[in-house]
Amino acid sequence: MLHVDVLSVLTDNYIFMLVDETTQICVVIDPAVADPVLDYLEQNNLTLSAIYNTHHHNDHVGGNLELKEKTGCEVYGYGPDRDRIPGMTHPLKEGDMISVGDSQAVVIFAPGHTLGHILYHFEKDRKCFVGDTLFSIGCGRVFEGTPAQMWQSLEHFFHMPDETEIYCAHEYTLANIRFAETLVGEDVDLLSYKEKCLEKQGRGDPTIPTTLGLEKHLNPFLAVVSADYRDHIGFSSSSSLDSFANIRAQKDHF
Ligand code: ZN
Ligand code: FE
């Protein structure tokens, strides 16, 4: 079984520590900074075997070199981004399999936020590490790609089971809910999710992970796939892609 611990760093970043419970093998997803990871390893008496990066932004790779130097770990990332991901030792491509002890993940190429963004999907463990592609009730800004590329990347989520836990790299949930409310108004399910998130944040707990089933239902950037939802937000005559692009543009200026 794969165990995940969430480290909260910088303003709103999450670093995920993955530990295979059988072998005690430990990897880190997107170490924005090194110190909290080093502290975690020491407190839990673990050795870091690898860093898995989702994309090259500094708030995801900032701790790479220090961790590599201090622990001797391997560094995995999207191959063509080798020059942008510090210390890369293992270039990855779409469809590659990686493992954390007995748990395996498939690498999914998901450009849009950047042109080299990847997701790590642990199918059997029902967990997906999505970097800045999907957020709870939101999605990443389209910095390097096109809205069409981002939409194609998001479409991967429709092929994953609803119970999949989604590990997003930022705590943006409440701000995203405020935006979603401008689209759907007083939605009972969204309100009840907001209450839950407010409670968690009030206790100082992350709202992450979220689940894919909830996101398909409440996240405007996934829900647009449904004609009923498009009707509801006044985009009846638009395609999923056009509606997605429109909402993404609105959110950019929210
Ligand atoms: Zn980013
Ligand atoms: Fe980020």
Side-chain angles (χ1 to χ4, degrees):
M1 273 294 284
L2 191 66
H3 175 80
V4 182
D5 281 312
V6 181
L7 307 182
S8 179
V9 303
L10 305 177
T11 321
D12 50 36
N13 271 86
Y14 289 130
I15 297 177
F16 301 113
M17 304 301 309
L18 279 52
V19 183
D20 174 50
E21 285 171 338
T22 318
T23 58
Q24 291 294 99
I25 286 173
C26 174
V27 313
V28 58
I29 307 267
D30 283 355
V33 284
D35 282 351
V37 177
L38 293 167
D39 290 347
Y40 174 92
L41 294 169
E42 198 186 313
Q43 281 158 19
N44 292 280
N45 201 16
L46 290 164
T47 310
L48 187 67
S49 60
I51 294 170
Y52 293 156
N53 290 126
T54 62
H55 65 295
H56 75 281
H57 285 158
N58 199 52
D59 62 318
H60 299 256
V61 304
N64 275 22
L65 290 180
E66 189 181 341
L67 287 173
K68 187 183 179 189
E69 195 196 320
K70 292 193 171 153
T71 70
C73 67
E74 310 286 354
V75 182
Y76 292 70
Y78 185 59
D81 268 354
R82 189 170 218 143
D83 293 342
R84 309 201 286 182
I85 296 180
M88 193 192 293
T89 56
H90 287 66
L92 297 170
K93 60 179 187 314
E94 159 79 23
D96 280 355
M97 298 296 295
I98 49 141
S99 53
V100 182
D102 294 336
S103 289
Q104 287 214 311
V106 62
V107 172
I108 299 174
F109 182 48
H113 178 68
T114 71
L115 287 176
H117 199 300
I118 53 176
L119 319 175
Y120 297 95
H121 184 203
F122 290 79
E123 290 177 303
K124 285 214 187 86
D125 292 276
R126 298 269 197 260
K127 295 178 192 339
C128 192
F129 295 85
V130 303
D132 289 356
T133 294
L134 186 66
F135 295 119
S136 185
I137 319 298
C139 77
R141 270 179 191 259
V142 183
F143 280 127
E144 294 180 356
T146 62
Q149 269 175 324
M150 189 64 160
W151 176 245
Q152 215 174 24
S153 295
L154 292 176
E155 281 184 314
H156 287 290
F157 295 113
F158 298 116
H159 303 293
M160 295 177 196
D162 283 358
E163 59 270 33
T164 308
E165 291 177 321
I166 301 293
Y167 289 83
C168 332
H170 290 271
E171 181 60 62
Y172 290 157
T173 312
L174 286 169
N176 288 339
I177 290 173
R178 281 195 289 281
F179 172 73
E181 284 172 340
T182 66
L183 298 170
V184 297
E186 301 257 294
D187 179 274
V188 194
D189 295 339
L190 188 62
L191 278 173
S192 106
Y193 182 52
K194 184 183 182 178
E195 286 308 313
K196 273 193 201 124
C197 292
L198 279 167
E199 242 172 69
K200 282 185 186 167
Q201 291 276 272
R203 289 196 303 264
D205 289 342
T207 65
I208 304 306
T210 177
T211 59
L212 197 48
L214 180 138
E215 296 302 323
K216 284 180 190 167
H217 178 50
L218 294 179
N219 186 327
F221 297 101
L222 294 183
V224 281
V225 78
S226 133
D228 283 349
Y229 188 87
R230 296 200 301 275
D231 260 356
H232 184 54
I233 60 171
F235 291 137
S236 343
S237 54
S238 297
S239 66
S240 310
L241 168 60
D242 289 345
S243 306
F244 164 77
N246 192 322
I247 298 172
R248 187 57 262 176
Q250 282 187 42
K251 178 76 185 356
D252 288 346
H253 301 108
F254 180 66

